[in-house]
Amino acid sequence: MLHQSDRAHAVVFQKPSQQLAFGGPRAFGHGGAMGALACVDPDTGIAFAWTIARGPWPGGADPRAVPLARDLGRLLSL
């Protein structure tokens, strides 16, 4: 896994990818268990966190959260 160029994971965070497009090139965050997502984009100064009461296990980021985080970053960086 450490030598796979198509991975978007680091030690404790993820970078934006096609599957998890939540910010610009310097953004980082993590899609957690049961729908959680937290990310920050240093270029826009935006931090975003999302959680839901119940979600699938192990889950990953709620599909509603990723486009919301991406669109929020676009709107606030204008």
Side-chain angles (χ1 to χ4, degrees), residues 24-46:
R26 293 189 339 129
F28 59 94
H30 197 277
M34 299 190 63
L37 171 67
C39 54
V40 64
D41 189 334
D43 293 330
T44 61
I46 296 171

Side-chain angles (χ1 to χ4, degrees), residues 1-7 9-11:
M1 181 166 166
L2 293 176
H3 299 290
Q4 295 178 359
S5 61
D6 64 337
R7 297 290 178 176
H9 289 78
V11 176

